Amino acid sequence: MDKIRADASQRFPEIIELNVGGQVYVTRHSTLLSVPNSLLWTMFSQKKPAELTTDSKGRYFLDRDGFLFRYILDYLRDQTLVLPDYFKEKASLLREAEYFQLQELAKRLRLAVSKENSISEEVCQSDPEEAALAGMSISSTGPRSPSLDARKIGYITIGYRGSYTIGRDIQQDAKFRRVARITVCGKTSLAKEVFGETLNESRDPDRPPERYTSRYYLKYNFLEQAFDRLAEVGFHMVACSSTGTCAYASNDPSEDKIWTSYTEYVFSRE
């Protein structure tokens, strides 16, 4: 009996839970072994479960890009590469494919990256303004072209949700709770231009630049910080709308009241 238990502890279960850079994935053991001699094949066929790093919940941990791993896992399932339109992370995905030792996937991505680079060079040489509109980086020591700035007009809506409690009608005892999130709604390209690296796109990662989204949010919780950034790039507030609700923390009316509010601020740049 002890020998059977020892053998079982050295085998991987059919369903594997992975923690890749904080993102949780669940897949079959056979999927991880689908490409021989890859890194995952080596980890889950040549090693024992106890030899692999796990997180606090027992999931096998990989310190890699959790967002891009979804494409690695999709490739392992049927050895095909399907990427969304306007996918801008091919170079990063190539790096992940090389890390996981997926030679065929890396080969396909190298061709795609090489093709994109050659197209970019042609556009840069033929029309620098067109390249800038396509989101390419072109170094320049002079001021930005007014014609380019004029094209980037539009609206951005900032959503702000917060809640607080008031202890038994005593105003001095008001306890504010942390704002859950500051959301950003508007055209994808405009939101990225304004907020840059402070914009969290994890809830809507494949949104094309000329489409609209209501699922982005900011990586900080200071509403004034968002306002300052919008003012710096020429936006002005044109509308504001707010709603509020009140509820008790329990069924006992003598308990603290919980007030929740949601406000939207509409900004425009003309």
Side-chain angles (χ1 to χ4, degrees):
M1 181 64 69
D2 291 340
K3 184 178 185 301
I4 294 175
R5 290 177 178 175
D7 291 341
S9 67
Q10 296 178 5
R11 295 195 302 267
F12 289 99
E14 177 55 25
I15 303 301
I16 301 289
E17 288 190 55
L18 302 172
N19 178 346
V20 185
Q23 298 290 325
V24 176
Y25 292 89
V26 181
T27 187
R28 291 185 177 274
H29 181 241
S30 56
T31 299
L32 301 176
L33 305 185
S34 62
V35 178
N37 301 317
S38 66
L39 177 64
L40 292 170
W41 179 87
T42 300
M43 291 173 59
F44 290 93
S45 68
Q46 305 301 303
K47 295 185 178 182
K48 301 175 182 178
E51 296 177 323
L52 301 182
T53 302
T54 57
D55 65 9
S56 60
K57 295 186 178 180
R59 296 176 292 222
Y60 298 105
F61 179 75
L62 295 165
D63 190 15
R64 303 301 299 180
D65 190 311
F67 164 67
L68 292 177
F69 187 76
R70 61 185 289 195
Y71 302 107
I72 297 294
L73 193 57
D74 282 345
Y75 176 79
L76 291 176
R77 290 184 176 117
D78 51 19
Q79 277 72 67
T80 59
L81 176 62
V82 179
L83 298 176
D85 295 336
Y86 305 100
F87 187 75
K88 300 297 184 181
E89 304 292 334
K90 290 188 179 69
S92 297
L93 184 56
L94 170 59
R95 185 170 62 248
E96 297 302 302
E98 292 173 340
Y99 174 83
F100 287 105
Q101 300 171 18
L102 299 170
Q103 304 303 329
E104 183 61 31
L105 176 60
K107 180 180 178 181
R108 298 182 195 180
L109 288 168
R110 286 192 197 99
L111 292 175
V113 171
S114 177
K115 182 178 179 180
E116 282 190 352
N117 290 341
S118 62
I119 293 175
S120 299
E121 290 177 0
E122 291 177 2
V123 173
C124 289
Q125 293 173 0
S126 61
D127 192 343
E129 182 172 321
E130 182 181 346
L133 289 173
M136 304 171 188
S137 177
I138 302 177
S139 60
S140 174
T141 57
R144 293 175 57 86
S145 169
S147 60
L148 293 182
D149 288 338
R151 291 188 177 97
K152 296 182 180 180
I153 62 175
Y155 291 85
I156 287 180
T157 300
I158 300 296
Y160 177 90
R161 188 184 303 278
S163 64
Y164 60 93
T165 61
I166 298 180
R168 297 179 178 83
D169 298 326
I170 301 177
Q171 188 68 29
Q172 291 86 336
D173 290 340
K175 299 177 182 179
F176 285 84
R177 298 182 179 180
R178 188 174 70 87
V179 176
R181 274 175 182 167
I182 300 176
T183 59
V184 178
C185 310
K187 185 177 287 187
T188 299
S189 59
L190 198 58
K192 290 181 178 180
E193 175 206 333
V194 173
F195 294 106
E197 294 299 321
T198 64
L199 188 72
N200 196 324
E201 307 171 46
S202 63
R203 297 173 65 200
D204 203 359
D206 302 329
R207 179 66 54 173
E210 296 309 311
R211 298 289 295 275
Y212 291 83
T213 181
S214 61
R215 296 177 58 80
Y216 287 170
Y217 60 94
L218 299 179
K219 297 179 180 179
Y220 49 80
N221 295 320
F222 297 99
L223 190 60
E224 292 79 7
Q225 192 172 348
F227 289 175
D228 285 344
R229 178 55 189 162
L230 286 161
E232 288 172 0
V233 294
F235 279 83
H236 301 277
M237 187 187 301
V238 294
C240 175
S241 177
S242 181
T243 61
T245 59
C246 176
Y248 291 102
S250 69
N251 293 328
D252 186 354
S254 64
E255 293 295 324
D256 294 350
K257 297 178 181 178
I258 300 177
W259 295 82
T260 301
S261 65
Y262 178 73
T263 307
E264 286 189 341
Y265 304 89
V266 182
F267 289 82
S268 170
R269 183 169 66 184
E270 299 180 355

